PDB file of all heavy atoms in Angstrom:
ATOM      1  N   ASP A 168       4.367  -1.838   4.581  1.00  0.00           N
ATOM      2  CA  ASP A 168       4.366  -3.038   3.744  1.00  0.00           C
ATOM      3  C   ASP A 168       5.646  -3.114   2.917  1.00  0.00           C
ATOM      4  O   ASP A 168       6.250  -4.189   2.787  1.00  0.00           O
ATOM      5  CB  ASP A 168       3.146  -3.027   2.822  1.00  0.00           C
ATOM      6  CG  ASP A 168       3.153  -4.191   1.839  1.00  0.00           C
ATOM      7  OD1 ASP A 168       2.776  -5.308   2.250  1.00  0.00           O
ATOM      8  OD2 ASP A 168       3.576  -3.982   0.680  1.00  0.00           O
ATOM      9  N   LEU A 169       6.079  -1.974   2.360  1.00  0.00           N
ATOM     10  CA  LEU A 169       7.303  -1.951   1.559  1.00  0.00           C
ATOM     11  C   LEU A 169       8.516  -2.341   2.398  1.00  0.00           C
ATOM     12  O   LEU A 169       9.370  -3.125   1.945  1.00  0.00           O
ATOM     13  CB  LEU A 169       7.502  -0.562   0.959  1.00  0.00           C
ATOM     14  CG  LEU A 169       8.806  -0.334   0.191  1.00  0.00           C
ATOM     15  CD1 LEU A 169       8.892  -1.242  -1.035  1.00  0.00           C
ATOM     16  CD2 LEU A 169       8.940   1.128  -0.207  1.00  0.00           C
ATOM     17  N   LEU A 170       8.620  -1.816   3.614  1.00  0.00           N
ATOM     18  CA  LEU A 170       9.767  -2.138   4.460  1.00  0.00           C
ATOM     19  C   LEU A 170       9.815  -3.627   4.797  1.00  0.00           C
ATOM     20  O   LEU A 170      10.897  -4.224   4.861  1.00  0.00           O
ATOM     21  CB  LEU A 170       9.732  -1.301   5.736  1.00  0.00           C
ATOM     22  CG  LEU A 170       9.990   0.196   5.550  1.00  0.00           C
ATOM     23  CD1 LEU A 170       9.834   0.936   6.876  1.00  0.00           C
ATOM     24  CD2 LEU A 170      11.369   0.452   4.958  1.00  0.00           C
ATOM     25  N   MET A 171       8.649  -4.236   4.975  1.00  0.00           N
ATOM     26  CA  MET A 171       8.639  -5.675   5.239  1.00  0.00           C
ATOM     27  C   MET A 171       9.021  -6.466   3.994  1.00  0.00           C
ATOM     28  O   MET A 171       9.629  -7.540   4.082  1.00  0.00           O
ATOM     29  CB  MET A 171       7.279  -6.108   5.793  1.00  0.00           C
ATOM     30  CG  MET A 171       7.078  -5.703   7.240  1.00  0.00           C
ATOM     31  SD  MET A 171       5.624  -6.443   8.014  1.00  0.00           S
ATOM     32  CE  MET A 171       4.343  -5.382   7.340  1.00  0.00           C
ATOM     33  N   TYR A 172       8.679  -5.950   2.823  1.00  0.00           N
ATOM     34  CA  TYR A 172       9.105  -6.585   1.579  1.00  0.00           C
ATOM     35  C   TYR A 172      10.621  -6.506   1.426  1.00  0.00           C
ATOM     36  O   TYR A 172      11.278  -7.464   1.007  1.00  0.00           O
ATOM     37  CB  TYR A 172       8.419  -5.902   0.397  1.00  0.00           C
ATOM     38  CG  TYR A 172       8.814  -6.447  -0.961  1.00  0.00           C
ATOM     39  CD1 TYR A 172       8.618  -7.789  -1.285  1.00  0.00           C
ATOM     40  CD2 TYR A 172       9.379  -5.614  -1.919  1.00  0.00           C
ATOM     41  CE1 TYR A 172       8.970  -8.288  -2.533  1.00  0.00           C
ATOM     42  CE2 TYR A 172       9.738  -6.100  -3.172  1.00  0.00           C
ATOM     43  CZ  TYR A 172       9.529  -7.433  -3.473  1.00  0.00           C
ATOM     44  OH  TYR A 172       9.885  -7.923  -4.706  1.00  0.00           O
ATOM     45  N   LEU A 173      11.190  -5.375   1.808  1.00  0.00           N
ATOM     46  CA  LEU A 173      12.631  -5.165   1.665  1.00  0.00           C
ATOM     47  C   LEU A 173      13.450  -5.873   2.738  1.00  0.00           C
ATOM     48  O   LEU A 173      14.537  -6.388   2.450  1.00  0.00           O
ATOM     49  CB  LEU A 173      12.946  -3.666   1.702  1.00  0.00           C
ATOM     50  CG  LEU A 173      12.384  -2.798   0.574  1.00  0.00           C
ATOM     51  CD1 LEU A 173      12.680  -1.329   0.852  1.00  0.00           C
ATOM     52  CD2 LEU A 173      12.945  -3.214  -0.784  1.00  0.00           C
ATOM     53  N   LEU A 174      12.928  -5.908   3.972  1.00  0.00           N
ATOM     54  CA  LEU A 174      13.758  -6.313   5.113  1.00  0.00           C
ATOM     55  C   LEU A 174      13.210  -7.493   5.901  1.00  0.00           C
ATOM     56  O   LEU A 174      13.862  -7.949   6.843  1.00  0.00           O
ATOM     57  CB  LEU A 174      13.935  -5.121   6.057  1.00  0.00           C
ATOM     58  CG  LEU A 174      14.674  -3.910   5.444  1.00  0.00           C
ATOM     59  CD1 LEU A 174      14.546  -2.703   6.356  1.00  0.00           C
ATOM     60  CD2 LEU A 174      16.131  -4.255   5.200  1.00  0.00           C
ATOM     61  N   GLY A 175      12.027  -7.987   5.556  1.00  0.00           N
ATOM     62  CA  GLY A 175      11.450  -9.103   6.289  1.00  0.00           C
ATOM     63  C   GLY A 175      10.355  -8.655   7.246  1.00  0.00           C
ATOM     64  O   GLY A 175      10.137  -7.466   7.473  1.00  0.00           O
ATOM     65  N   ASP A 176       9.662  -9.619   7.811  1.00  0.00           N
ATOM     66  CA  ASP A 176       8.512  -9.322   8.662  1.00  0.00           C
ATOM     67  C   ASP A 176       8.909  -8.543   9.911  1.00  0.00           C
ATOM     68  O   ASP A 176       9.981  -8.761  10.484  1.00  0.00           O
ATOM     69  CB  ASP A 176       7.824 -10.612   9.089  1.00  0.00           C
ATOM     70  CG  ASP A 176       7.051 -11.266   7.965  1.00  0.00           C
ATOM     71  OD1 ASP A 176       6.850 -10.614   6.925  1.00  0.00           O
ATOM     72  OD2 ASP A 176       6.655 -12.438   8.124  1.00  0.00           O
ATOM     73  N   ILE A 177       8.013  -7.653  10.315  1.00  0.00           N
ATOM     74  CA  ILE A 177       8.129  -6.986  11.611  1.00  0.00           C
ATOM     75  C   ILE A 177       7.507  -7.913  12.651  1.00  0.00           C
ATOM     76  O   ILE A 177       6.346  -8.300  12.538  1.00  0.00           O
ATOM     77  CB  ILE A 177       7.426  -5.626  11.592  1.00  0.00           C
ATOM     78  CG1 ILE A 177       8.186  -4.656  10.673  1.00  0.00           C
ATOM     79  CG2 ILE A 177       7.306  -5.047  12.990  1.00  0.00           C
ATOM     80  CD1 ILE A 177       7.484  -3.331  10.438  1.00  0.00           C
ATOM     81  N   THR A 178       8.306  -8.276  13.659  1.00  0.00           N
ATOM     82  CA  THR A 178       7.851  -9.268  14.632  1.00  0.00           C
ATOM     83  C   THR A 178       7.452  -8.677  15.974  1.00  0.00           C
ATOM     84  O   THR A 178       6.683  -9.276  16.712  1.00  0.00           O
ATOM     85  CB  THR A 178       8.944 -10.322  14.865  1.00  0.00           C
ATOM     86  OG1 THR A 178      10.150  -9.655  15.300  1.00  0.00           O
ATOM     87  CG2 THR A 178       9.241 -11.091  13.586  1.00  0.00           C
ATOM     88  N   GLN A 179       8.003  -7.522  16.308  1.00  0.00           N
ATOM     89  CA  GLN A 179       7.635  -6.844  17.546  1.00  0.00           C
ATOM     90  C   GLN A 179       7.481  -5.366  17.241  1.00  0.00           C
ATOM     91  O   GLN A 179       8.317  -4.774  16.562  1.00  0.00           O
ATOM     92  CB  GLN A 179       8.699  -7.040  18.627  1.00  0.00           C
ATOM     93  CG  GLN A 179       8.876  -8.478  19.077  1.00  0.00           C
ATOM     94  CD  GLN A 179       9.927  -8.606  20.164  1.00  0.00           C
ATOM     95  OE1 GLN A 179      10.117  -7.701  20.972  1.00  0.00           O
ATOM     96  NE2 GLN A 179      10.615  -9.734  20.203  1.00  0.00           N
ATOM     97  N   VAL A 180       6.401  -4.761  17.740  1.00  0.00           N
ATOM     98  CA  VAL A 180       6.161  -3.345  17.457  1.00  0.00           C
ATOM     99  C   VAL A 180       5.357  -2.732  18.591  1.00  0.00           C
ATOM    100  O   VAL A 180       4.511  -3.384  19.208  1.00  0.00           O
ATOM    101  CB  VAL A 180       5.421  -3.176  16.105  1.00  0.00           C
ATOM    102  CG1 VAL A 180       4.081  -3.897  16.109  1.00  0.00           C
ATOM    103  CG2 VAL A 180       5.236  -1.707  15.763  1.00  0.00           C
ATOM    104  N   GLN A 181       5.638  -1.484  18.870  1.00  0.00           N
ATOM    105  CA  GLN A 181       4.833  -0.721  19.809  1.00  0.00           C
ATOM    106  C   GLN A 181       4.778   0.718  19.320  1.00  0.00           C
ATOM    107  O   GLN A 181       5.676   1.187  18.623  1.00  0.00           O
ATOM    108  CB  GLN A 181       5.402  -0.795  21.223  1.00  0.00           C
ATOM    109  CG  GLN A 181       6.830  -0.307  21.357  1.00  0.00           C
ATOM    110  CD  GLN A 181       7.372  -0.518  22.751  1.00  0.00           C
ATOM    111  OE1 GLN A 181       6.653  -0.946  23.657  1.00  0.00           O
ATOM    112  NE2 GLN A 181       8.632  -0.194  22.954  1.00  0.00           N
TER     113      GLN A 181
END
Side-chain angles (χ1 to χ4, degrees):
D168 175 80
L169 175 63
L170 291 176
M171 285 190 281
Y172 178 59
L173 296 174
L174 297 169
D176 287 348
I177 292 173
T178 57
Q179 296 181 31
V180 59
Q181 58 185 355

